[in-house]
Amino acid sequence: MKKNLTKVMALGMVMTVMAGATAFANEPMLISENPTATYDVAEASMYLTQSGTVASIETSVTEGVSVVTIDNEMGGLRFAVASNTIIINREDGFYMTADQLEEGMAVSVVYDMNSPMGMSMPPFLGNVTAVVANADAGSVVVGKFDENLTDMKNMLQLNIDNERTPIANLQGSRIRLSAEDVKGQDALVFYDFTTRSIPAQTTPSFVLILAEAEEAPEVEEENKPSCVPLREIAEKLGFTVKWQGKTKPILIEKDGVSITVMMGKGDYTVNGADAEASIKAELKDGVMFVSSEIFE
């Protein structure tokens, strides 16, 4: 009798929970009180996002490239913005230029999850996929959405209004995009309210379609030189890096060891002794890359 009573009570609890879930299935709710909260990343997505407020914009040593620093609860982020960096206004879906970014502006930064990130504080991310400006309204999620516009974790389904939801892509396309273009794609989505159903449903306020991330490069052979980010690798090994100007060598020092590298050249010196690297030093998106031979 006691066992049967226990079963009845357990069944009653389950039915109560199910009834409660059904009652709220169509009621809207704000998924987060934090307007820039990041939703759980879909398993199949190759992208990550960070949101924050622009703290500073610095002109880089390379003409046409700036370094932007944002503040957020994760410690902030620094990243390079070049003339070809995709910058989009969340409010209307229009494309912007780098000089339209301002201190105090809320932004969301999208980047490939395999992108190298420096160990500085805040960390430096040389190359970003896109920057969304005026990202101070609603919540944001990045993920891959299937033919039903549901993310791969079955957590969020999009009900896109083709007439009212701005949809943009990374190609700077001016053509009208629709829900069909989002299907099967990685996308950054801004939204305000969701239902309490599973998956939660929302009509997004803005969608940015992300191109597929390039496959990670194959692992280099053990003794074959590779191209590595100078500052990141140097600082990991305990070196200090000093930039002395475009026409002067970069100085790398640690415990009496002094290495100089010239931008655009393969030759370098170690404590004054000349050496030749098989890969020339090159600046890409504000990050200096050099041959791994320099640190061997």
Side-chain angles (χ1 to χ4, degrees), residues 6 38 51 53 55 74 81 84 86 90 124 149 153 157-158 161 165 180 202 205 208 221 228 237 253 257 264:
T6 301
T38 301
S51 298
T53 303
M74 301 173 65
V81 174
N84 60 346
I86 294 293
R90 179 203 57 81
F124 181 75
L149 294 178
K153 280 190 174 180
Q157 184 175 26
L158 309 181
D161 185 333
T165 303
E180 289 297 317
T202 186
S205 57
L208 172 61
E221 295 177 13
V228 299
L237 296 175
E253 294 180 307
V257 177

Side-chain angles (χ1 to χ4, degrees), residues 4 18 22 41 51 58 79 83 100 105 109 120 129 135-136 146 179 189 231 269 278 287:
N4 291 336
M18 291 178 63
T22 303
V41 179
S51 298
E58 310 166 24
F79 56 93
S83 58
Q100 292 177 285
M105 178 181 286
V109 183
S120 58
T129 302
D136 52 350
D146 63 16
V189 177
R231 182 175 293 276
T269 67
S278 56
V287 179

Side-chain angles (χ1 to χ4, degrees), residues 209-231:
I209 301 172
L210 305 172
E212 290 187 6
E214 296 181 2
E215 294 183 2
E218 294 182 3
V219 178
E220 300 284 347
E221 295 177 13
E222 185 175 354
N223 296 320
K224 186 178 179 180
S226 60
C227 189
V228 299
L230 186 152
R231 182 175 293 276

Side-chain angles (χ1 to χ4, degrees), residues 2 5 50 67 115 119 126 128 138 140 159 165 197 238 269 271 283 288 292:
K2 186 175 181 180
L5 180 59
Q50 278 200 45
V67 176
S115 296
M119 301 300 291
V128 298
V140 58
N159 297 321
T165 303
S197 57
T269 67
N271 289 340
L283 196 65
M288 179 67 69
S292 58

